[in-house]
Amino acid sequence: MTVPSPLRVEGAPLRIDLHAHSTASDGMASPTKFVETAASAGLDVVALTDHDTVDGVAEAVAAAGPLGVRVVPGVELSVMDGKDEVHLLGLYLADIAAIADALTTFREGRTARAEAMVAALNAKGVPVTMEAVSREAAGGAYGRPHVARALVAGGFVADVREAFDTWLGMGKPAFVEKPRLDVADGVAVVHRAGGLAIWAHPGDDGRRGKFERMVAAGIDGAEVRHPGHNGSDVARIGALVEFFHLVPSGGSDWHGAMGGPRMLGAVQVPSEWLARHEERLAMRRNAVPVREP
Ligand code: AMP
Ligand code: ZN
Ligand code: FE
Ligand code: FE
């Protein structure tokens, strides 16, 4: 049974945020807390898009029913466009079991990479341990933020920003690449689960040439609204989405902040975009053969 959200006004447009992380990856809130935060922010539809894992989805869906919130099952994959990393959201994943093996491989890659980052730090004289990192990850898929938080907890840096600036940012002494699929293979993983593949936060890279490659790789859409996008990004990417007959999406990219520009619901998308997603999904599920990677 679905109980309407207490903040929901009958006939009012839906309040929708389609990008968020939980403790299943590098977010600070559990999947349950995520849904409770969504309900108290008056959101009707939220997507859980943890990095390389769908482990939080079942808990979020279970918590969502009684609160009248719809949870869109999702994931955020890191993939390669040539030498550049791009992020790909998989939204509306209907058949998670179909991609469980692929996601397990990504996760194992993240564990090995966390170990390599710890080894690099140790080699540079910073005695952080894998135990400390795994305390921060608390069972979630390992990411650089967990290593950063372990460095803070150990007193090796003042804050997470310093951890990235000194050690973990790209090109810094303890930066380690993670194994990544190319864009087309990432898109195929999303499609195998019955989802829509959305180019996450294209930002300043969201220009015609790169859009052409992403479209050729099979994306369904791109994020137009994101806290990292300025007004000109929104206008340019919005226009390119229409030019390439893609669907627009967006969200707050929430990692647990309870205020500020990355608060859950701080970036929302109109109901009309959700309707376009549903149309595109129906088209994909009925007519488009799925490429096996
Ligand atoms: P990973 O996927 O493990 O490479 O970690 C990427 C995550 O690290 C991003 O989603 C951000 O949450 C975080 N991150 C990346 N760069 C920075 C930075 N300079 N300062 C703080 N957090 C960062
Ligand atoms: Zn993250
Ligand atoms: Fe991202
Ligand atoms: Fe994200």
Side-chain angles (χ1 to χ4, degrees):
M1 194 188 67
T2 301
V3 181
S5 155
L7 298 180
R8 172 112 185 87
V9 178
E10 202 58 45
L14 293 177
R15 295 165 58 88
I16 307 161
D17 180 337
L18 297 176
H19 190 155
H21 300 270
S22 75
T23 48
S25 65
D26 59 1
M28 303 296 281
S30 69
T32 298
K33 173 79 174 157
F34 157 64
V35 172
E36 290 169 355
T37 305
S40 54
L43 292 166
D44 301 291
V45 184
V46 286
L48 183 61
T49 56
D50 275 305
H51 298 284
D52 294 339
T53 181
V54 290
D55 286 355
V57 167
E59 182 187 322
V61 168
L67 293 172
V69 175
R70 175 180 165 201
V71 169
V72 172
V75 71
E76 181 170 14
L77 303 177
S78 303
V79 296
M80 292 305 273
D81 168 53
K83 287 184 172 21
D84 299 330
E85 178 170 317
V86 297
H87 290 181
L88 198 62
L89 295 176
L91 296 179
Y92 315 96
L93 304 178
D95 186 3
I96 280 168
I99 59 168
D101 287 354
L103 295 180
T104 300
T105 306
F106 292 138
R107 232 194 127 118
E108 287 167 356
R110 282 182 167 275
T111 303
R113 171 184 182 238
E115 286 163 350
M117 288 190 285
V118 166
L121 285 159
N122 294 166
K124 297 282 175 192
V126 181
V128 70
T129 62
M130 195 59 194
E131 287 66 42
V133 176
S134 98
R135 248 192 319 275
E136 299 299 328
Y142 286 107
R144 282 181 289 161
H146 301 126
V147 181
R149 289 174 211 157
L151 287 171
V152 175
F156 305 119
V157 293
D159 54 23
V160 165
R161 171 176 290 268
E162 186 186 330
F164 274 89
D165 289 349
T166 310
W167 298 109
L168 303 170
M170 194 185 296
K172 301 298 178 187
F175 175 76
V176 177
E177 296 276 5
K178 56 185 178 262
R180 284 154 301 191
L181 299 177
D182 71 27
V183 182
D185 289 336
V187 169
V189 167
V190 172
H191 287 169
R192 244 195 300 152
L196 290 185
I198 306 288
W199 182 6
H201 47 77
D204 194 51
D205 289 341
R207 293 175 187 276
R208 178 147 173 178
K210 187 143 172 160
F211 257 91
E212 281 173 357
R213 292 198 301 280
M214 297 295 284
V215 169
I219 59 165
D220 298 288
E223 282 192 313
V224 175
R225 297 194 183 174
H226 185 273
H229 287 176
N230 61 29
S232 103
D233 293 331
V234 171
R236 186 186 64 255
I237 295 165
L240 286 164
V241 160
E242 300 309 326
F243 179 80
F244 286 107
H245 301 286
L246 301 171
V247 293
S249 191
S252 62
D253 206 349
W254 190 62
H255 280 73
M258 297 310 281
R262 287 175 186 256
M263 168 67 199
L264 190 60
V267 175
Q268 296 182 27
V269 302
S271 304
E272 185 230 337
W273 291 11
L274 195 66
R276 288 176 65 182
H277 293 183
E278 279 158 2
E279 272 171 38
R280 181 111 183 176
L281 271 177
M283 189 181 77
R284 165 160 300 290
R285 286 179 183 163
N286 292 329
V288 182
V290 173
R291 186 169 78 80
E292 287 294 332

